[in-house]
Amino acid sequence: MSSAVVHRRVALQRVDTMDSAPSTASNSMAASPNDTPRQSPSSTSLSSLGSTDEIDLRKVNGKMLDTYGNEFKLPDFTIKDIRDAIPAHCYQRSGARGLAYVARDIASLATVFYLFHNYVTPENVPSTPIRGALWALYTVIQGLFATGVWVLAHECGHQSFSPSKTLNDTVGWLCHSALLVPYFSWKISHGKHHKATGHLERDMVFVPKTREEYASKVGRYVHEISELAEETPIVTAATLIGQQLGGWLYYLTSNITGHNKHERQPEGRGKGKRNGMFRGVNHFNPSSPLYEAKDAKLVLLSDLGLAITLSVLFAIGAKYGMANLTVWYILPYLWVNHWLVAITFLQHTDPSLPHYEPQAWTYTRGAAATIDREFGFIGRHLLHGIIETHVLHHYVSTIPFYNADEASEAIKKVMGAHYRSDVEGGSIGFLKSIWKSARWCQWVEPSEGSVGEAQGVLFYRNRNGHGVPPQKLEAPTAQA
């Protein structure tokens, strides 16, 4: 699939600001712009600069192509441009409104349980297959409502739930603990994800493999990747099943899909630690390189929340039996994990998205390397719009979800072609995108012929014959 490429000459004078300059040793490790309303680190917009020096960026960097074959150009707007475009009232947060949504979702969970527990019984539904099918439906419905609660706790973690940090963290800790999520531990690592989105060495979730890493995974040389046969669909399916069933737990326990550069942890606690089970990188141990010494109490408080929930679940299982506990809680919990992984995967994995090497990354560029999708009534009402307004969320994460649609429309005017969305097919299209992204997005590499800064802008490629093919590299010559 490809689209027509329109060649344009871009006249600009390069000005290095926090928003527009590629990351260096100093600004690559800097935090993102403050996530409080109406603040910005810069007032300079490249798109508004006059210049007497015309530069054809395509000649300087070479032609960058996403996986579809569309020409990519680096964003030229700033955080200030984004914030200034958003109406002031979109930043307003209401604790009462947030609590009302929590109450609604919990009431929905309780109502569904009451109805099934009292009416889907052998007396009312004597057919075992029909009764089993209804209880299977129960797990799906409860999984959706519980995912909504998860999203509201996510709002708390970003302080978009209310103006009160105390209320936010109390509600977030209670809701996430009930869903076996280590609230503060996740909040800290998730904040680092927002500060380094699209950064291949600092991002914390769904960091794609480079060509070299993919070659190592499949046991081939880098130059052989372009000649590999198609990955069989059954392998893709097996990988997706594993990702959707266990991906969230694997992430919490081993930081899978997060960056693996822990030796750079400023306190030295990452030395000798790697992603993977029992290798010292997880969301439960205060000494994990994901955290600093000052985070220890919060990590332990997160662990306490999990311990309380597990104790309650153990008591329920002991009293009512593991079969009931499995249907009432464990299966809906697995559905929550499925939706969480699917949503996050599709927010950051798409044939149109770039990823950046450290020398080419900026906060503005990374935040634009996300995509909005559409999940219909379920996404907008049960899951509180987390799928439909994710691009905005990466620029201003303190805007509450009920104002996110309006704010998203406002920033589209600033982002222009750099705003990405895939709403084709609605809810069905969203589900199909899981398979499509898995087949199209196997590793990232620079565009063929790219030079200069563009060598640090990487796009997805695959061995399955979809989109732009991977570069053909020559085998290294043997030294005499």
Side-chain angles (χ1 to χ4, degrees):
M1 174 180 179
S2 63
S3 61
V5 176
V6 179
H7 301 296
R8 296 187 302 166
R9 292 182 62 83
V10 181
L12 58 85
Q13 179 180 349
R14 192 69 184 176
V15 176
D16 288 347
T17 69
M18 180 176 177
D19 294 311
S20 62
S23 53
T24 63
S26 58
N27 70 13
S28 179
M29 294 303 293
S32 62
N34 218 346
D35 257 343
T36 53
R38 311 300 285 181
Q39 294 184 3
S40 172
S42 169
S43 60
T44 305
S45 170
L46 290 178
S47 60
S48 64
L49 292 174
S51 173
T52 58
D53 300 321
E54 290 192 353
I55 302 174
D56 189 333
L57 290 182
R58 202 157 37 83
K59 290 182 179 179
V60 173
N61 291 329
K63 191 174 182 180
M64 294 178 283
L65 297 178
D66 68 17
T67 318
Y68 291 124
N70 298 320
E71 185 174 6
F72 175 82
K73 295 182 180 180
L74 294 167
D76 60 354
F77 51 85
T78 69
I79 299 299
K80 178 171 172 38
D81 296 333
I82 292 288
R83 290 181 178 276
D84 287 350
I86 299 171
H89 64 267
C90 290
Y91 293 93
Q92 300 303 310
R93 300 161 289 175
S94 169
R97 189 169 182 179
L99 287 171
Y101 278 106
V102 172
R104 185 203 75 172
D105 287 355
I106 292 176
S108 298
L109 286 164
T111 300
V112 171
F113 178 80
Y114 175 83
L115 292 174
F116 275 78
H117 182 65
N118 287 280
Y119 296 104
V120 184
T121 62
E123 294 77 16
N124 295 317
V125 186
S127 170
T128 299
I130 294 177
R131 194 166 66 252
L134 288 172
W135 276 106
L137 177 63
Y138 163 90
T139 69
V140 176
I141 297 172
Q142 294 293 72
L144 289 170
F145 283 131
T147 303
V149 174
W150 198 106
V151 173
L152 293 175
H154 167 267
E155 292 267 304
C156 292
H158 282 291
Q159 307 304 308
S160 58
F161 185 81
S162 82
S164 169
K165 186 175 186 299
T166 300
L167 177 62
N168 294 338
D169 287 342
T170 300
V171 174
W173 181 78
L174 289 171
C175 290
H176 263 177
S177 295
L179 296 170
L180 292 178
V181 178
Y183 171 73
F184 291 104
S185 305
W186 163 85
K187 173 185 171 182
I188 294 167
S189 69
H190 188 67
K192 294 179 180 180
H193 158 61
H194 271 258
K195 293 174 182 177
T197 306
H199 193 300
L200 284 170
E201 295 188 4
R202 288 176 47 217
D203 201 353
M204 298 294 295
V205 63
F206 283 111
V207 179
K209 290 179 173 59
T210 62
R211 180 170 177 147
E212 292 76 13
E213 291 168 338
Y214 186 83
S216 177
K217 173 190 173 184
V218 298
R220 295 298 185 98
Y221 292 109
V222 173
H223 68 274
E224 296 177 326
I225 295 301
S226 60
E227 307 300 330
L228 288 179
E230 174 185 357
E231 178 179 270
T232 60
I234 194 170
V235 171
T236 306
T239 301
L240 280 177
I241 291 171
Q243 171 182 293
Q244 297 307 123
L245 282 177
W248 172 241
L249 288 176
Y250 200 17
Y251 173 71
L252 292 178
T253 55
S254 67
N255 197 46
I256 195 68
T257 82
H259 79 77
N260 210 10
K261 305 291 184 180
H262 305 296
E263 68 279 358
R264 301 178 183 177
Q265 205 275 346
E267 296 174 343
R269 55 174 59 196
K271 293 180 179 178
K273 296 180 179 179
R274 304 281 293 172
N275 293 347
M277 295 297 291
F278 311 114
R279 295 184 180 180
V281 186
N282 59 67
H283 283 74
F284 310 107
N285 189 342
S287 66
S288 168
L290 301 179
Y291 310 109
E292 300 174 13
K294 63 182 177 62
D295 301 322
K297 291 182 179 179
L298 293 176
V299 175
L300 292 174
L301 184 57
S302 302
D303 294 344
L304 175 63
L306 301 183
I308 293 172
T309 300
L310 288 171
S311 297
V312 172
L313 292 174
F314 179 82
I316 292 173
K319 183 173 182 178
Y320 298 102
M322 278 301 299
N324 282 326
L325 179 63
T326 297
V327 175
W328 293 346
Y329 183 93
I330 295 177
L331 292 179
Y333 167 78
L334 291 177
W335 276 113
V336 173
N337 292 359
H338 156 73
W339 290 121
L340 172 60
V341 172
I343 291 167
T344 310
F345 175 61
L346 291 181
Q347 287 168 340
H348 299 284
T349 310
D350 186 81
S352 68
L353 296 180
H355 284 77
Y356 296 92
E357 296 280 9
Q359 70 274 14
W361 181 89
T362 69
Y363 179 82
T364 305
R365 293 175 182 178
T370 56
I371 186 169
D372 288 341
R373 299 184 188 272
E374 179 63 50
F375 202 34
F377 176 86
I378 291 175
R380 293 188 174 277
H381 297 282
L382 301 189
L383 306 185
H384 307 294
I386 194 172
I387 295 169
E388 292 79 9
T389 59
H390 191 68
V391 175
L392 167 79
H393 177 67
H394 266 274
Y395 278 112
V396 193
S397 60
T398 50
I399 290 180
F401 71 90
Y402 42 80
N403 292 333
D405 278 318
E406 181 180 358
S408 291
E409 289 301 316
I411 70 170
K412 289 178 185 179
K413 301 172 185 177
V414 175
M415 296 184 69
H418 297 291
Y419 170 80
R420 293 176 182 81
S421 67
D422 182 359
V423 299
E424 184 178 354
S427 299
I428 300 301
F430 174 83
L431 296 175
K432 287 182 177 179
S433 292
I434 300 175
W435 178 260
K436 178 180 179 180
S437 290
R439 296 290 288 176
W440 282 64
C441 306
Q442 294 185 306
W443 71 84
V444 292
E445 63 180 55
S447 298
E448 187 168 7
S450 60
V451 295
E453 187 179 36
Q455 290 183 314
V457 184
L458 281 59
F459 296 92
Y460 285 107
R461 300 292 185 256
N462 61 81
R463 57 191 277 194
N464 299 323
H466 298 304
V468 175
Q471 295 186 50
K472 293 185 180 296
L473 303 178
E474 294 184 3
T477 57
Q479 296 295 324

